């Protein structure tokens, strides 16, 4: 009798798990219900996105331990600049008090819309910051122009998410919403892993596997790869020559022309809407500066192109000199020193131009 | 849904438990058919229409062949064969054919542009069309009664454990088992699960680990040392074996859990003492298919030595083409055929009467020959294969990097290959009958697969055929 009950339980449990993992909307609903501070919560990326994804967050070598924060600006000159920044996860947690000479500050991520009201009595400056790994996939298409130049459209999220979901589905209808394509959802294995194993109390077991493979084979799993000097975790896609997010994926002259033209179209649009200055800043992938051999030269090719209308804030030239100092070891991003360096460069540009007026 | 995915594990659990809860065979057949449809559709849903189409044609062809006499029997058989081979020709060989026409015209300075088919090859097309053809041929030969029950016939073609990568079954073996009510048997469950775990071990611990070396060496032919390239070639031999035989182990194990016995597909092929012996041990269900339905009908060895040689070459040419629409597979097949013809007589001198050292040397030389031929199988094109072989024989230095970050991983790979060979040589079949040992074995294999498995959702190599 017990066997029969158990077998029915597992049949129902299995079907329910497959169904839940198949449905985008149910997954979205469940993810929002999970309290990530409790034992049943999702594994967080607090210790570095790559370190957490490959469960090497328990190794101090890769975990984020530095609690230094960005410095307050000590500039006391004229504040006649309105600064707009359209950026990505490299600029998470930035505040107005780090910038110099600004009267107002607006920052939006790529997944949000830049709502701007220009103050015509001030100098309006726009900084477009973008990670190198996303330059080709974002700016290689004309969609980005539509998105950037049309404030009514929502942007797609580029942030790491532990489980795959589709945005924009209303939760209220998920019990009635049936789509044939859902039954053969290609993300089902990620969703199953999330539903069956991504709980904080199970994570130490994943950590044990990761540690065994790290110490025994010097290897990380999933999307993370250990750098040749063993000091950094690198995002796998940035190394894969066949992936356009990679720093090693071959780049043609035609593609550079297309990228520059797209940047110029965006420049023309924002100039026409009243922006005084528009800057482009491409932040190099960690692998670009840590293992530059075979680099496809994407950043120099764009920045040094004489046809590019935007002015450049050249983070690449500065950061490549000491990657150990400016990049996190278990994360795809820079550390606070790298961020500070970039902020100093932006401040330099703002104050220099302001003082020269 | 690959076998090495979480989706499959949950799917297998649900289907198997449900299967044993059903008390009549009709319900079980329906359950397995629906499950098999879901399994197949989880790759690309639309392709089930192609599979469904050939199933309907072959089902009615079987009935009509049985009902008809003489010429009409042949007509219905040919209709069925055309439907199956036609599906293969269109979806697998059309683009290859057109590409070659383009190349031919270009060679004579007259470029031509014919339309190409822009769709991926349906998963496992070669496997299920061959299995379907074996049914209609057997009905034609009066060795199998035409199946009246459409659901049972559809399940014969679509039975999920062997749907996408074999074994290519015969109706006499599978149809009666599918139609008969087979009770739950704990010994079969143990044997099936143990075999599945062994298959997972071969796939995720060995094959997917060796794949890192193979991808590295085949991707860096010109800057790798000859030693690294040779190691890559040897590792590919084990990768493809562990990948394909691992799949077969999981397929046979999954069927065994449900008390259904499928054909053995591998018999320690790397212990073969000759190339012809290799082909009685490697992908047995395919080589026996070609033997029964091509080689023997062509006359086999009954029409003289030259005709035998021609028949062998035809079979290996078709075998090469069966694996893929690329000249690399054609060359691979023809070279195997050539070696079978050239070496058969010399090596068929009763191996058991030779001393162990001589036997070991024959085995080693056969393994090396097979390994070099796999280079054609793995390479993108014949030029790349030839370059790979040339660089091995150049005996030059270069990068010895194998894609492993640590020597430990190389030693570990060699260790697990040795364990696999030892186990299959000295502990073949199901050797765990005791319950306690079974639980220990299961726990150990789960832990090994988890801690030492390489999980990157890699598909099985033979899915592409």
């Amino acid at each position: 009798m017990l066997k029969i009950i158990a077998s029915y339980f597992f049949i129902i449990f299995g079907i329910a798990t497959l169904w839940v993992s198949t449905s985008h909307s149910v997954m979205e609903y469940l993810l929002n219900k999970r309290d990530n501070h409790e034992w049943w919560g999702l594994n967080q990326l607090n210790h570095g996105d790559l370190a957490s994804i490959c469960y090497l967050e328990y190794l101090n070598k890769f975990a984020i331990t530095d609690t230094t924060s960005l410095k307050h600006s000590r500039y006391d000159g004229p504040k006649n600049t309105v600064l707009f920044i359209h950026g990505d996860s490299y600029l998470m947690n930035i505040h107005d008090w780090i910038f110099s000479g600004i009267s107002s500050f607006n920052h939006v991520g790529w997944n949000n819309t830049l709502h701007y009201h220009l103050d015509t009595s001030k100098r309006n400056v726009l900084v477009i910051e973008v990670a190198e790994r996303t330059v080709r996939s974002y700016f290689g298409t004309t969609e980005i122009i539509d998105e950037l130049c049309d404030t009514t459209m929502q942007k797609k999220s580029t942030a790491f998410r532990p489980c795959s979901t589709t945005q924009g589905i209303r939760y209220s209808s998920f019990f009635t919403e049936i789509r044939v394509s859902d039954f053969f959802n290609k993300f089902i294995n990620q969703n199953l892993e999330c539903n069956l194993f991504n709980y904080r109390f199970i994570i130490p077991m994943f950590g044990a596997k990761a540690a065994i493979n790290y110490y025994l084979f010097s290897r990380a799993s999933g999307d993370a790869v250990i750098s040749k000097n063993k000091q950094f975790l690198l995002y796998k896609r940035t190394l894969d020559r066949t992936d356009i997010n990679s720093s090693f994926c071959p780049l043609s002259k035609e593609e550079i022309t297309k990228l520059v033209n797209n940047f110029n179209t965006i420049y023309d649009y924002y100039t026409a809407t009243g922006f005084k200055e528009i800057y482009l800043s491409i932040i190099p992938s960690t692998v670009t500066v840590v293992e530059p051999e075979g680099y496809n030269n994407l950043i120099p090719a764009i920045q040094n192109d004489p046809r590019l209308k935007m002015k450049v804030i050249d983070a690449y030239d500065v950061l490549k000199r000491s990657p150990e100092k400016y990049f996190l070891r278990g994360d795809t991003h820079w550390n606070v020193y790298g961020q500070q360096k970039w902020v100093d460069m932006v401040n330099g540009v703002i104050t220099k131009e302001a003082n020269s007026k | 849904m690959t076998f090495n995915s979480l989706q499959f594990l949950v799917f297998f659990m649900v289907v198997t438990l449900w299967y044993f809860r059903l008390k009549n065979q009709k319900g079980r057949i329906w359950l397995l058919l629906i499950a098999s449809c879901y399994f197949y559709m989880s790759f690309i849903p639309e392709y089930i229409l192609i599979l469904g189409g050939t199933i309907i044609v072959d089902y009615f062809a079987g009935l009509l062949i049985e009902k008809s006499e003489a010429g009409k029997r042949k007509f219905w058989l040919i209709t069925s064969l055309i439907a199956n081979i036609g599906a293969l020709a269109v979806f697998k060989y059309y683009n290859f054919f057109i590409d070659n026409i383009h190349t031919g015209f270009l060679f004579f300075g007259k470029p031509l542009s014919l339309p190409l088919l822009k769709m991926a090859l349906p998963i496992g097309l070669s496997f299920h069309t061959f299995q379907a053809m074996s049914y209609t041929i057997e009905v034609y030969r009066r060795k199998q009664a035409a199946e009246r029950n459409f659901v049972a016939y559809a399940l014969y073609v679509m039975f999920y454990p062997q749907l996408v990568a074999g074994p290519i079954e015969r109706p006499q073996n599978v149809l009666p088992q599918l139609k008969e009510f087979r009770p739950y048997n704990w010994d079969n469950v143990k044997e099936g699960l143990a075999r599945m775990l062994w298959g997972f071990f071969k796939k995720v611990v060995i094959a997917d680990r060796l794949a890192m070396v193979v991808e590295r060496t085949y991707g860096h032919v010109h800057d790798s040392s000859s030693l690294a390239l040779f190691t890559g070639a040897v590792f590919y031999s084990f990768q493809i074996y562990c990948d394909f035989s691992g799949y077969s182990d999981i397929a046979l194990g999954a069927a065994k859990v449900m008390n259904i016995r499928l054909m053995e597909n591998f018999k320690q092929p790397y212990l073969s003492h000759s190339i012809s012996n290799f082909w009685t041990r490697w992908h047995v269900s395919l080589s026996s298919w070609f033997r029964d339905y091509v080689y023997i009908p062509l006359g086999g060895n009954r029409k003289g030595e030259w005709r035998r040689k021609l028949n062998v070459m035809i079979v290996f040419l078709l075998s090469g083409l069966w694996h893929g629409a690329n000249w690399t597979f054609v060359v691979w097949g023809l070279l195997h055929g050539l070696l079978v013809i050239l070496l058969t007589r010399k090596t068929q001198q009763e191996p058991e009467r030779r001393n162990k050292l001589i036997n070991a040397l024959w085995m080693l030389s056969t393994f090396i020959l097979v390994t070099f031929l796999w280079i054609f199988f793995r390479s993108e094109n014949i030029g790349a294969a030839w370059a790979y072989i040339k660089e091995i024989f150049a005996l030059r230095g270069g990068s010895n990097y194998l894609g492993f970050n640590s020597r430990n991983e190389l030693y570990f790979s060699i260790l697990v290959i040795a364990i696999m060979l030892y186990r299959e040589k000295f502990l073949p079949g199901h050797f765990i009958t005791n319950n306690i040992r079974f639980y220990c074995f299961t726990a150990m294999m789960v832990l090994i697969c988890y801690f030492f498995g390489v999980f990157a959702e890699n598909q099985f190599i033979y899915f592409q055929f």
Side-chain angles (χ1 to χ4, degrees), chain A residues 16-65:
Chain A
T17 310
L18 282 173
W19 175 67
V20 166
S21 307
T22 295
S23 169
H24 287 304
S25 36
V26 182
M27 280 300 296
E28 185 88 15
Y29 176 81
L30 287 179
L31 286 176
N32 284 303
K33 286 284 174 198
R34 280 170 74 169
D35 182 347
N36 295 333
H37 299 291
E38 296 294 337
W39 60 268
W40 66 84
L42 292 166
N43 187 31
Q44 295 296 285
L45 307 179
N46 299 336
H47 305 288
D49 50 20
L50 289 173
S52 297
I53 282 169
C54 69
Y55 303 106
L56 283 173
E57 63 208 84
Y58 300 104
L59 301 182
N60 284 335
K61 184 175 182 178
F62 297 121
I64 297 172
T65 50

Side-chain angles (χ1 to χ4, degrees), chain A residues 4 7-8 10-11 14-15 18 183-184 188-189 192-193 197 205-206 209 212-213 216-219, chain B residues 5-7 10 13-14 17-18 21 38 41-42 45 209 212 405-406 408-409 412 450-453 457:
Chain A
I4 294 171
S7 62
Y8 278 119
F10 281 112
I11 290 168
I15 292 172
L18 282 173
F183 287 105
F184 309 104
I188 190 167
N189 283 305
L192 276 170
E193 188 177 338
F197 301 115
M205 195 179 78
F206 293 162
K209 175 185 164 78
I212 287 173
N213 279 281
L216 211 53
F217 305 136
S218 296
R219 191 154 52 74
Chain B
S5 66
L6 269 176
Q7 187 185 10
V10 178
M13 177 187 79
V14 170
L17 290 173
W18 202 341
R21 291 269 63 85
Y38 175 77
M41 289 173 79
S42 67
R209 173 166 275 103
M212 291 190 272
N405 292 338
S406 152
N408 289 343
E409 190 142 27
F412 181 78
Y450 173 69
F451 282 108
F452 296 106
E457 292 189 22

Side-chain angles (χ1 to χ4, degrees), chain A residues 191-296:
Chain A
N191 292 346
L192 276 170
E193 188 177 338
C194 180
N195 288 328
L196 294 173
F197 301 115
N198 197 340
Y199 297 95
R200 290 181 67 198
F201 74 98
I202 301 180
I203 300 306
M205 195 179 78
F206 293 162
K209 175 185 164 78
I212 287 173
N213 279 281
Y214 175 73
Y215 286 117
L216 211 53
F217 305 136
S218 296
R219 191 154 52 74
S221 60
D223 280 332
V225 173
I226 294 170
S227 67
K228 285 177 188 162
N229 65 10
K230 312 247 193 288
Q231 297 303 309
F232 289 88
L233 289 176
L234 304 172
Y235 185 33
K236 199 175 187 176
R237 292 186 65 180
T238 61
L239 281 88
D240 180 355
R241 285 170 184 276
T242 60
D243 191 322
I244 60 163
N245 297 290
S246 162
S247 302
F248 307 103
C249 180
L251 188 65
S252 65
K253 282 182 182 169
E254 291 73 30
E255 198 176 350
I256 290 293
T257 303
K258 192 175 178 184
L259 289 167
V260 169
N261 286 343
N262 285 349
F263 281 124
N264 287 345
T265 308
I266 293 163
Y267 174 87
D268 292 340
Y269 174 82
Y270 282 107
T271 308
T273 57
F275 279 96
K276 191 80 176 169
E277 294 150 40
I278 299 161
Y279 292 92
L280 172 66
S281 186
I282 304 175
I283 313 303
S285 300
T286 313
V287 69
T288 301
V289 290
V290 171
E291 293 178 2
E293 197 183 335
Y295 176 44
N296 62 10

Side-chain angles (χ1 to χ4, degrees), chain A residues 114-350:
Chain A
L114 177 63
H115 294 288
Y116 55 94
H117 300 286
L118 301 185
D119 182 347
T120 48
S121 66
K122 300 272 169 56
R123 183 173 147 241
N124 295 287
V125 174
L126 172 64
V127 176
I128 293 178
E129 176 276 320
V130 60
E132 182 186 16
R133 66 172 180 271
T134 54
V135 167
R136 291 167 81 179
S137 50
Y138 276 18
F139 293 95
T141 66
T142 49
E143 280 172 32
I144 189 70
I145 299 172
D146 297 336
E147 290 191 17
L148 268 174
C149 302
D150 181 354
T151 55
T152 60
M153 286 185 69
Q154 288 287 315
K155 309 298 181 289
K156 290 172 187 164
S157 172
T158 57
F160 274 103
R161 290 193 68 112
C163 304
S164 163
T165 59
T166 297
Q167 295 186 354
I169 292 169
R170 281 171 295 129
Y171 307 146
S172 55
S173 65
F174 75 80
F175 284 113
T176 53
E177 184 186 7
I178 297 171
R179 293 181 298 189
V180 174
S181 58
D182 270 2
F183 287 105
F184 309 104
N185 176 1
K186 63 179 178 173
F187 294 114
I188 190 167
N189 283 305
Q190 280 170 270
N191 292 346
L192 276 170
E193 188 177 338
C194 180
N195 288 328
L196 294 173
F197 301 115
N198 197 340
Y199 297 95
R200 290 181 67 198
F201 74 98
I202 301 180
I203 300 306
M205 195 179 78
F206 293 162
K209 175 185 164 78
I212 287 173
N213 279 281
Y214 175 73
Y215 286 117
L216 211 53
F217 305 136
S218 296
R219 191 154 52 74
S221 60
D223 280 332
V225 173
I226 294 170
S227 67
K228 285 177 188 162
N229 65 10
K230 312 247 193 288
Q231 297 303 309
F232 289 88
L233 289 176
L234 304 172
Y235 185 33
K236 199 175 187 176
R237 292 186 65 180
T238 61
L239 281 88
D240 180 355
R241 285 170 184 276
T242 60
D243 191 322
I244 60 163
N245 297 290
S246 162
S247 302
F248 307 103
C249 180
L251 188 65
S252 65
K253 282 182 182 169
E254 291 73 30
E255 198 176 350
I256 290 293
T257 303
K258 192 175 178 184
L259 289 167
V260 169
N261 286 343
N262 285 349
F263 281 124
N264 287 345
T265 308
I266 293 163
Y267 174 87
D268 292 340
Y269 174 82
Y270 282 107
T271 308
T273 57
F275 279 96
K276 191 80 176 169
E277 294 150 40
I278 299 161
Y279 292 92
L280 172 66
S281 186
I282 304 175
I283 313 303
S285 300
T286 313
V287 69
T288 301
V289 290
V290 171
E291 293 178 2
E293 197 183 335
Y295 176 44
N296 62 10
N297 278 312
L298 173 71
I299 300 178
I302 294 172
Q303 292 186 163
N304 301 332
D305 193 304
R307 293 166 296 182
L308 185 71
K309 293 179 182 172
M310 290 183 192
K311 292 178 184 172
V312 167
I313 294 173
D314 191 356
Y316 170 65
D317 188 51
V318 174
L319 300 176
K320 73 178 182 185
R321 292 177 204 157
S322 328
E324 289 80 7
K325 194 172 162 190
Y326 298 129
F327 283 86
L328 290 168
R329 291 172 191 275
D331 196 284
T332 49
H333 300 90
W334 51 20
N335 59 21
V336 71
Y337 302 105
Q339 202 174 32
Q340 183 66 55
K341 200 76 189 170
W342 185 83
V343 169
D344 292 345
M345 291 167 75
V346 173
N347 284 338
V349 166
I350 295 171

Side-chain angles (χ1 to χ4, degrees), chain B residues 261-306:
Chain B
R261 189 180 50 77
L262 298 179
M263 184 192 282
E264 286 293 338
N265 224 4
F266 292 91
K267 297 172 181 173
Q268 303 154 47
Y270 292 146
L271 300 182
S272 308
H273 53 78
S274 69
I275 295 287
S276 50
N277 184 231
F278 173 80
W279 281 103
T280 62
R281 293 158 171 260
W282 177 274
H283 202 175
V284 178
S285 64
L286 179 70
S287 40
S288 61
W289 195 99
F290 276 115
R291 183 197 63 209
D292 295 346
Y293 303 126
V294 180
Y295 180 70
I296 293 174
L298 283 173
N301 58 4
R302 304 184 307 274
K303 295 188 175 178
E305 188 56 17
W306 280 105

Side-chain angles (χ1 to χ4, degrees), chain B residues 33-52:
Chain B
L33 183 63
I34 292 166
S36 299
C37 289
Y38 175 77
F39 178 83
Y40 192 72
M41 289 173 79
S42 67
F43 293 101
I44 300 174
E46 298 82 11
Y47 285 179
I48 198 154
L49 297 175
I50 299 167
L51 181 56

